[in-house]
Amino acid sequence: MSLDIRVVFIGAGNMAEAMISGIIKTGTLEPRQVIVTNRSNEERLLELHNRYGVQGIVRDKLKIETADIIVLAMKPKDAKVSLDSIKDQIRPDQVVMSVLAGISTTFMEKNLQAGQQAIRVMPNTSSMIQESATAISPGENVTMKNVRLAKKLLQSIGKVYLIEEEQMDLFTGIAGSGPAYYYYLLEHVEKIAKENGMEVSQAREIGAQTILGAARMMLEREETPAQLRKNITSKNGTTASGLQALADNGGGDAIKAAIEGAMHRSKEISAELEKAPVN
């Protein structure tokens, strides 16, 4: 059963499409309940309309007050301009939901009118297949009704976690950017497999299934990742040899650096945006 709301996506990039795909495929919203807009790229809006049936409207023709949830899905550097352009049209019961890295609820509230509602959200591109890990952090003015509504909407694209604002940049480093880390791993699996005579397509499937199986086992059992690793690591065996090679080549340090790098960049984006003058 679909929710009785209308959602506007301001921005038509990959994240917007991933969320739209999940929302429509699960029947959480019907296509007529979703509007996607951008400044002038009508070709992209038509593409999304043809693919998902949603409405595509260029910004100049959009009536923002017709939506219940307004999703900021443009580039972070354009967030302030977008907020400035819509804040005079937002009703008290509407909620603005950002899916942008580095855009805090504080930033949104500073660039909206007093009392207007803002929620910070961090999904990832697995939204497209309803397997996102999505964080949600409500601002000070958000009603419980709108928190529940946002959560129901986001549950259509995967698991939803309520996270404190100060942990959102860390969540970005772990989950928002996370899928790319696994794709990077599988790129190297493909490369090594090809060098050793295996078909790339077969190696890709084997690698993906291995990650999928390991993830499911961890979610379905009570053991920690360390315990599960120890369970399958025999002394002087092949797994021990592989793990030692990872350790010798900075595997743990590289993972730590990747997460912290994404986390710090999210904080940098926030700091850069905070320096911009508030109208």
Side-chain angles (χ1 to χ4, degrees):
M1 183 177 178
S2 63
L3 297 174
D4 187 21
I5 60 171
R6 297 188 77 188
V7 177
V8 168
F9 286 84
I10 302 180
N14 292 337
M15 181 52 70
E17 180 173 4
M19 292 181 68
I20 289 167
S21 175
I23 288 166
I24 297 302
K25 285 179 180 176
T26 56
T28 303
L29 296 179
E30 296 178 11
R32 62 178 176 80
Q33 296 172 272
V34 178
I35 298 171
V36 59
T37 184
N38 59 25
R39 290 179 180 175
S40 59
N41 190 346
E42 295 187 55
E43 183 177 344
R44 173 60 171 164
L45 298 180
L46 181 61
E47 177 185 355
L48 293 175
H49 169 73
N50 290 338
R51 191 171 294 164
Y52 305 105
V54 298
Q55 301 178 65
I57 303 174
V58 292
R59 285 289 300 278
D60 291 344
K61 298 178 181 178
L62 177 66
K63 293 182 178 180
I64 205 76
E65 62 270 19
T66 62
D68 298 285
I69 296 178
I70 303 153
V71 182
L72 302 183
M74 74 295 293
K75 294 178 180 178
K77 67 181 180 64
D78 297 325
K80 185 180 186 304
V81 173
S82 292
L83 289 169
D84 286 344
S85 71
I86 65 174
K87 63 184 179 183
D88 291 337
Q89 305 167 46
I90 297 175
R91 302 190 318 267
D93 61 320
Q94 287 176 300
V95 61
V96 178
M97 189 165 73
S98 167
V99 300
L100 308 174
I103 302 296
S104 66
T105 54
T106 301
F107 175 85
M108 287 189 281
E109 288 167 350
K110 283 183 179 178
N111 288 278
L112 290 168
Q113 293 182 351
Q116 290 179 337
Q117 302 181 54
I119 296 178
R120 183 178 181 181
V121 171
M122 178 49 61
N124 59 37
T125 53
S126 299
S127 304
M128 190 167 284
I129 58 166
Q130 301 88 58
E131 290 292 350
S132 176
T134 303
I136 180 171
S137 181
E140 291 185 2
N141 303 317
V142 182
T143 64
M144 283 307 301
K145 176 183 177 182
N146 276 336
V147 171
R148 288 192 293 268
L149 185 61
K151 188 175 180 180
K152 284 182 181 179
L153 180 69
L154 295 166
Q155 283 173 335
S156 70
I157 60 173
K159 299 285 186 180
V160 178
Y161 305 91
L162 190 64
I163 300 289
E164 296 293 331
E165 175 70 50
E166 54 267 27
Q167 296 295 320
M168 287 294 283
D169 295 313
L170 174 60
F171 187 92
T172 298
I174 295 171
S177 301
Y181 309 153
Y182 297 102
Y183 299 148
Y184 185 72
L185 168 63
L186 289 179
E187 282 182 61
H188 286 77
V189 169
E190 288 182 0
K191 181 180 178 181
I192 295 161
K194 185 177 181 180
E195 289 173 355
N196 287 274
M198 182 180 285
E199 288 289 332
V200 169
S201 59
Q202 186 179 41
R204 181 182 305 152
E205 184 173 340
I206 291 169
Q209 178 60 39
T210 300
I211 291 173
L212 180 62
R216 283 182 174 170
M217 181 172 287
M218 187 168 61
L219 290 172
E220 292 176 7
R221 295 196 177 189
E222 295 182 358
E223 292 103 323
T224 66
Q227 288 172 328
L228 289 168
R229 173 178 55 79
K230 290 175 183 177
N231 291 346
I232 60 173
T233 306
S234 302
K235 187 177 180 180
N236 297 323
T238 57
T239 303
S241 178
L243 287 170
Q244 188 60 54
L246 279 174
D248 291 345
N249 287 277
D253 291 337
I255 294 167
K256 181 175 184 288
I259 293 172
E260 290 183 343
M263 176 180 70
H264 290 153
R265 181 55 189 148
S266 181
K267 290 182 177 181
E268 286 174 355
I269 291 170
S270 182
E272 290 165 5
L273 292 169
E274 289 291 348
K275 292 178 183 177
V278 178
N279 292 342

